[in-house]
Amino acid sequence: MIDNHYDILGIKRDAKQLQIKKAYHKLALKWHPDKNREQRAFALDQFHRINEAYHTLSKQELKMIYDHQLSQYESIESIKNLINLLRQNDSMDQNNDFDYSYDNLLSEEEQELLRQFKRRINEPCIQKKIRKFH
């Protein structure tokens, strides 16, 4: 898992530059290694992470690139989680039918999308791509 610069600074993705700057200053003061002599190594690590997050989010071009990469990463993580869920479901249900124990969690449309995804995930070309990632 990658460090989420927004989480590090404790801000939302739609934070304005002034909010980013304020969050940075607050955390930089809190975790400055000179102020945390008893936890110097941990404070230094936090301080570096805070500086990296601020450096990236304070520059508009870097922020745009970072936001795009973060969205891609989150999409990939969601797909991996769904694949793991399907694998668990497959191990419980050898008929490859949808496990209706998810009824209370998913809408009808979501259930249908999951069924379609499950059928598609078993196609040989998709299986080959999945194996590439593992």
Side-chain angles (χ1 to χ4, degrees):
M1 175 156 184
I2 63 171
D3 282 341
N4 183 323
H5 293 336
Y6 294 100
D7 291 344
I8 291 169
L9 295 179
I11 57 176
K12 295 181 179 179
R13 278 194 184 181
D14 61 352
K16 305 291 182 214
Q17 286 301 315
L18 183 60
Q19 293 168 308
I20 294 170
K21 190 174 186 175
K22 283 182 180 182
Y24 164 74
H25 283 288
K26 179 181 174 183
L27 291 169
L29 286 173
K30 177 181 178 180
W31 290 107
H32 195 282
D34 292 342
K35 289 189 173 191
N36 292 279
R37 294 180 192 270
E38 64 282 347
Q39 305 176 32
R40 189 166 176 81
F42 181 74
L44 190 59
D45 180 56
Q46 289 295 100
F47 191 71
H48 285 302
R49 293 172 72 217
I50 292 162
N51 277 317
E52 180 183 349
Y54 178 69
H55 174 77
T56 302
L57 298 179
S58 65
K59 295 177 174 55
Q60 198 61 35
E61 284 183 29
L62 290 177
K63 183 179 183 298
M64 287 173 52
I65 293 168
Y66 176 78
D67 287 346
H68 179 72
Q69 290 174 339
L70 184 61
S71 293
Q72 285 181 325
Y73 173 80
E74 290 171 344
S75 294
I76 290 168
E77 286 301 303
S78 294
I79 290 170
K80 285 180 182 178
N81 291 337
L82 184 56
I83 289 169
N84 288 333
L85 176 69
L86 291 171
R87 283 184 179 154
Q88 290 170 3
N89 188 38
D90 280 343
S91 67
M92 291 184 297
D93 182 9
Q94 294 300 320
N95 294 331
N96 231 11
D97 291 332
F98 183 75
D99 181 356
Y100 287 96
S101 64
Y102 298 108
D103 282 354
N104 58 343
L105 301 175
L106 303 174
S107 69
E108 287 293 326
E109 182 179 338
E110 291 168 329
Q111 288 177 26
E112 180 57 32
L113 285 171
L114 190 55
R115 277 194 285 281
Q116 290 173 10
F117 181 82
K118 194 171 176 182
R119 280 192 299 272
R120 183 105 160 87
I121 200 82
N122 290 318
E123 293 176 6
C125 63
I126 303 294
Q127 286 293 318
K128 185 177 179 182
K129 289 179 183 178
I130 291 170
R131 281 192 292 276
K132 252 185 176 178
F133 286 105
H134 291 297

